[in-house]
Amino acid sequence: MKFSLRTPLPRTVVMLAVSAFFVAVGFGVMIPVLPIFASSFGVSNFLIGLVVSAFAGMRLAISPFCRRISDRIGHRRTIGIGMWIVGGSSALCGLAGSYAELLLWRAVGGLGSAMFTISATALLLASVGPELRGRASGLYQGGFLLGGMAGPAIGGLLAGVSLTAPFYFYAGTLVVAGTIAFTQLHDPPGMAEAAALAPTRPLGEVIADSRFRAACLMSFGQGWQSFGVRSALVPILVVGALGAEPSWAGIAFAIAAVAQTAALPAAGRATDMVGRRPVMIVGGLLAAASTIATPFAPNLQVLIVLLCVYGVGSAALGTAPTAALGDATKGAGSQPVAIYSMVGDLGAILGPLAAGVLADHWGMGAAFGAGTAILLAGTVAAALIPARLDRRSGEPETVG
């Protein structure tokens, strides 16, 4: 069943994108105030950072078990329950009376996040054929991006009401997203029966697949650079190196997010029509070139242009690797999807820490250079995908 006359994508994919929007809106509202709220308990900067890292750390720890959960109760239920867990934990964070309580409930939120992220990716890939995987991934990523742009603006208003209001708002958006999951998402026919059977493709064979390795390396690079280094160091560049007001960091990120969102439809179509490999190569080169140039931007205008170029590259890296993942994991169950998610989380955890050390000892050029090297490594891995395995619309699906 198609959702509308304007899209060839199934209703489940569109509803996943809508759920992603609500998740991202709430996340964007809450994240800016989390360090400030943690500091209100009189703890050190290290412990403030630990609250931020606890979420990603728990995601990484619980990811290996998410496949068993989704295989037992289905992707739809796993997504809904995971979202409600994050929503409940967010409300409890707002009610926390001590640092220890805040840390505990923030970590619990990571558990729910791993559940819905991995199951949503698996359901997305299972709901479309290979000829639509790029466009489906683009729409899903677009939901996150639009929510991420709206969230900080709403968060600024809520923070003026109280420091805990964003936590309750985030809880509300997750309740909405979880309800959408339970009422609007549907596991494809036969998914439950297929989950009860042993995978027809061994995990070792998937890991040996060049498409899977390239997708994972790109996921690590995106986690390292997009969710880690950029968020940690670009605001420092804006204020320290360019002498601009802190608010310009948010403005720069918002403009880049607009560029990334605008590029997603074209990236999705190109992924399906031209192939995963060329889109990954172009995206990797754009992201790497803009990353290495970022710390040397002479003024704010050039920095914004570079962030926009990175956004366009990131649009390609948000669609093509996911499509390549779906191509490589056909018949292998959801365990490879969990590995893919874990690799991205690992990059997001290690990136800011490593970049901080590099920046302290060797400067911003070294910090951004490390991210560039990882993105280029992913680009090389994509270039090594054999042409016979690079899926295009209208071609038979190949596994090998």
Side-chain angles (χ1 to χ4, degrees):
M1 178 181 296
K2 307 301 181 187
F3 177 73
S4 75
L5 295 176
R6 293 187 176 185
T7 175
L9 299 173
R11 179 184 177 85
T12 293
V13 173
V14 179
M15 289 297 104
L16 279 170
V18 173
S19 296
F21 172 80
F22 282 104
V23 170
V25 166
F27 190 79
V29 164
M30 185 272 300
I31 279 297
V33 303
L34 179 60
I36 302 173
F37 184 57
S39 68
S40 69
F41 293 107
V43 297
S44 66
N45 287 328
F46 173 78
L47 292 179
I48 293 173
L50 186 60
V51 169
V52 177
S53 298
F55 189 85
M58 180 60 77
R59 275 176 53 96
L60 185 64
I62 201 66
S63 290
F65 307 100
C66 290
R67 176 181 64 89
R68 299 178 185 176
I69 297 172
S70 61
D71 286 349
R72 181 176 294 272
I73 66 175
H75 291 309
R76 177 178 66 89
R77 293 188 181 92
T78 304
I79 294 168
I81 292 172
M83 289 177 171
W84 283 352
I85 288 175
V86 181
S89 70
S90 178
L92 290 169
C93 282
L95 295 171
S98 68
Y99 172 81
E101 289 181 27
L102 177 63
L103 181 64
L104 170 65
W105 295 124
R106 186 62 184 152
V108 170
L111 183 155
S113 177
M115 289 174 62
F116 78 69
T117 300
I118 293 172
S119 289
T121 302
L123 180 58
L124 179 79
L125 295 175
S127 298
V128 294
E131 73 282 356
L132 291 175
R133 283 180 186 144
R135 278 163 283 189
S137 299
L139 182 63
Y140 183 57
Q141 291 294 324
F144 275 114
L145 282 170
L146 290 173
M149 285 187 284
I154 300 173
L157 297 175
L158 290 173
V161 176
S162 78
L163 202 56
T164 56
F167 291 94
Y168 304 132
F169 182 89
Y170 187 34
T173 61
L174 266 297
V175 169
V176 172
T179 302
I180 290 173
F182 275 114
T183 59
Q184 302 297 321
L185 299 183
H186 302 282
D187 290 349
M191 177 172 279
E193 293 76 7
L197 300 175
T200 58
R201 194 174 191 215
L203 178 61
E205 189 176 317
V206 174
I207 294 175
D209 192 310
S210 57
R211 296 169 296 184
F212 180 75
R213 294 198 303 269
C216 284
L217 194 49
M218 285 299 194
S219 177
F220 183 78
Q222 280 283 82
W224 179 289
Q225 192 63 34
S226 294
F227 305 113
V229 177
R230 280 203 325 153
S231 299
L233 297 185
V234 167
I236 296 175
L237 286 173
V238 169
V239 176
L242 301 180
E245 293 295 324
S247 60
W248 275 104
I251 295 171
F253 280 134
I255 295 172
V258 171
Q260 184 175 350
T261 304
L264 276 171
R269 287 193 299 270
T271 296
D272 291 332
M273 304 301 295
V274 180
R276 287 60 158 130
R277 182 177 64 171
V279 176
M280 290 170 70
I281 292 172
V282 172
L285 290 175
L286 287 175
S290 57
T291 294
I292 195 63
T294 294
F296 305 105
N299 53 55
L300 187 61
Q301 291 83 357
V302 172
L303 178 65
I304 291 175
V305 171
L306 290 172
L307 291 177
C308 288
V309 172
Y310 186 92
V312 174
S314 189
L317 299 183
T319 53
T322 305
L325 173 72
D327 298 343
T329 58
K330 182 176 176 60
S334 55
Q335 188 174 7
V337 178
I339 294 174
Y340 175 79
S341 177
M342 290 171 64
V343 168
D345 286 337
L346 186 62
I349 294 170
L350 295 179
L353 300 176
V357 172
L358 290 170
D360 287 340
H361 289 84
W362 292 284
M364 287 290 189
F368 281 85
T372 301
I374 296 171
L375 290 167
L376 287 176
T379 304
V380 172
L384 293 176
I385 296 174
R388 65 182 178 83
L389 295 180
D390 189 27
R391 184 66 174 75
R392 296 175 180 81
S393 181
E395 293 181 347
E397 188 161 22
T398 304
V399 176

